[in-house]
Amino acid sequence: MTIVIPRRILVSWLAAALCLGMASARAVATAAGGIPPIDARTSLLVVSPHPDDETLCCAGVIRRVVAAGGHASIVWLTSGDGSELDLLLIERELRIHPEKMRDLAARRMREARAAAAILGVRPARQFFLGYPDGGLLALITDHYTTPYYSKFNGALRVPYGDTFAAGHPYTGDSLERDFARVLDRVHPTLVLAPSPRDAHPDHRAAGILTLQVLSRRRELATARFWIVHGGHTWPSPRGLHMKLPLAPPPRGRGLGLTAFDLDPLEEADKLEAVRQYHTQMSVMSFFLLSYVRTNELYSSLPVPEETLSDCAAGASGRESGRAPLRCSRAGDRAPRGGASGGD
């Protein structure tokens, strides 16, 4: 029997869980800065909404962990089968054909494996879940228990046989369980996940998912947060500028982003990994190459401090019946231009 939970209740649960996670994050952030010391005991997990995000955000840290003798793992939540830009510019199609989008996913997963290999991530530590590109936010709200239909790949469950979650239903509950299984397999000491302030809905959902699951496991102290879709013109200047640092994005204000400096070899490896994404490079190379800079940016806070205060005040007011629970900035609607690439 399928139990249908009303959307207003799901959203209330999500807001409460997110608020608890952010409150825990505030306590963690008071004692933590950027990336903690990396050595042979480090077990890194990068949470990547789409193939290419792990390289854009975190290639330098991945290379540093591998060079130190630690373990580096990547979990891709989607396989990138929802890019209408790829459909238009590569396939020369205006209509969505599910079989072509599944072929696109297979191609992007191959590219991700090639990029991960350059960064030193072993195949056994590469986890593809195959959840719907463009649908992650819907999974953790409207479709937590009822399957979501992807208009891109034409599926209600993971259609890719060579993924970690093959055949699992497109629901938020299933996504959480599979993410937890990856955590059980990896036992990370450091988790790099998107900030809920990222402009892309899939990235925001990935950040909320990470907050929820790590909070329940009392492992939120392992998390650091990054942004890829940070504003209309960010990163600036666009294109390859390897001698320039990556400046904080507009949507990163209040996060206390800390620079992780890359050495020349790490930067060169990052460039080579980015170039493995032939599909995306053919339509948005100027955007992808913009992340090959002398540093990467990370925060201990998932959202700005003021949002944590708002969230705590909302929770207190809700308990007393005076005000609704609100975590406004974590789930606000992104401007259309804010998520222009990298999906």
Side-chain angles (χ1 to χ4, degrees):
M1 180 178 68
T2 300
I3 300 174
V4 179
I5 301 175
R7 185 178 191 275
R8 61 182 178 81
I9 295 177
L10 281 173
V11 171
S12 177
W13 287 354
L14 177 60
L18 179 58
C19 207
L20 287 172
M22 291 194 299
S24 300
R26 168 191 261 173
V28 169
T30 60
I35 299 298
I38 291 172
D39 57 29
R41 295 168 294 180
T42 301
S43 178
L44 168 68
L45 177 65
V46 177
V47 182
S48 184
H50 315 96
D52 74 11
D53 289 317
E54 81 298 328
T55 298
L56 303 184
C57 72
C58 311
V61 174
I62 294 172
R63 284 299 300 138
R64 188 77 56 88
V65 169
V66 171
H71 298 292
S73 305
I74 303 168
V75 56
W76 290 275
L77 303 185
T78 82
S79 295
D81 53 17
S83 176
E84 293 179 274
L85 188 60
D86 288 342
L87 183 68
L88 177 63
L89 298 182
I90 296 176
E91 301 293 343
R92 309 292 184 185
E93 293 278 0
L94 293 176
R95 294 176 54 214
I96 295 171
H97 298 277
E99 65 278 6
K100 289 190 175 182
M101 301 313 285
R102 293 189 191 193
D103 289 343
L104 172 65
R107 186 158 66 245
R108 293 190 67 180
M109 285 190 284
R110 288 195 298 270
E111 293 168 352
R113 291 186 181 98
I118 286 171
L119 299 177
V121 180
R122 295 189 291 109
R125 292 187 172 273
Q126 300 173 21
F127 302 94
F128 293 91
L129 299 190
Y131 282 88
D133 188 359
L136 296 185
L137 204 54
L139 293 193
I140 63 173
T141 53
D142 294 0
H143 293 272
Y144 188 77
T145 58
T146 57
Y148 170 90
Y149 174 77
S150 170
K151 68 177 183 179
F152 296 108
N153 64 29
L156 288 163
R157 58 184 61 246
V158 179
Y160 309 111
D162 57 347
T163 59
F164 192 69
H168 292 189
Y170 277 169
T171 66
D173 179 60
S174 181
L175 172 62
E176 284 189 7
R177 290 174 185 273
D178 286 326
F179 183 59
R181 286 201 301 139
V182 172
L183 293 172
D184 289 338
R185 181 79 64 90
V186 173
H187 299 292
T189 61
L190 175 61
V191 177
L192 302 181
S195 167
R197 284 291 293 152
D198 194 292
H200 195 298
D202 281 343
H203 289 227
R204 293 205 302 276
I208 294 169
L209 170 72
T210 302
L211 278 167
Q212 289 180 298
V213 176
L214 290 183
S215 294
R216 284 202 295 265
R217 297 166 65 100
R218 300 180 184 273
E219 296 174 1
L220 195 57
T222 64
R224 299 294 184 273
F225 300 91
W226 48 265
I227 290 178
V228 161
H229 301 282
H232 274 289
T233 60
W234 186 85
S236 180
R238 291 291 173 93
L240 183 62
H241 299 279
M242 294 183 68
K243 294 184 179 181
L244 293 181
L246 187 65
R251 293 185 70 88
R253 292 191 185 100
L255 292 179
L257 289 161
T258 301
F260 179 86
D261 294 327
L262 278 59
D263 65 37
L265 289 178
E266 290 166 343
E267 197 175 358
D269 285 340
K270 182 167 186 169
L271 174 59
E272 186 61 23
V274 168
R275 284 175 169 162
Q276 301 310 302
Y277 286 103
H278 306 291
T279 303
Q280 298 303 86
M281 285 288 284
S282 67
V283 296
M284 58 179 72
S285 62
F286 67 97
F287 180 77
L288 271 62
L289 293 172
S290 300
Y291 293 89
V292 184
R293 300 287 165 90
T294 61
N295 65 300
E296 295 167 347
L297 298 171
Y298 301 98
S299 173
S300 299
L301 288 171
V303 294
E305 180 73 21
E306 64 198 60
T307 304
L308 299 180
S309 299
D310 287 349
C311 193
S316 175
R318 185 171 182 264
E319 289 175 359
S320 63
R322 292 192 302 271
L325 179 65
R326 61 190 182 94
C327 300
S328 58
R329 297 199 178 193
D332 57 352
R333 179 173 290 276
R336 293 186 65 86
S340 59
D343 58 352

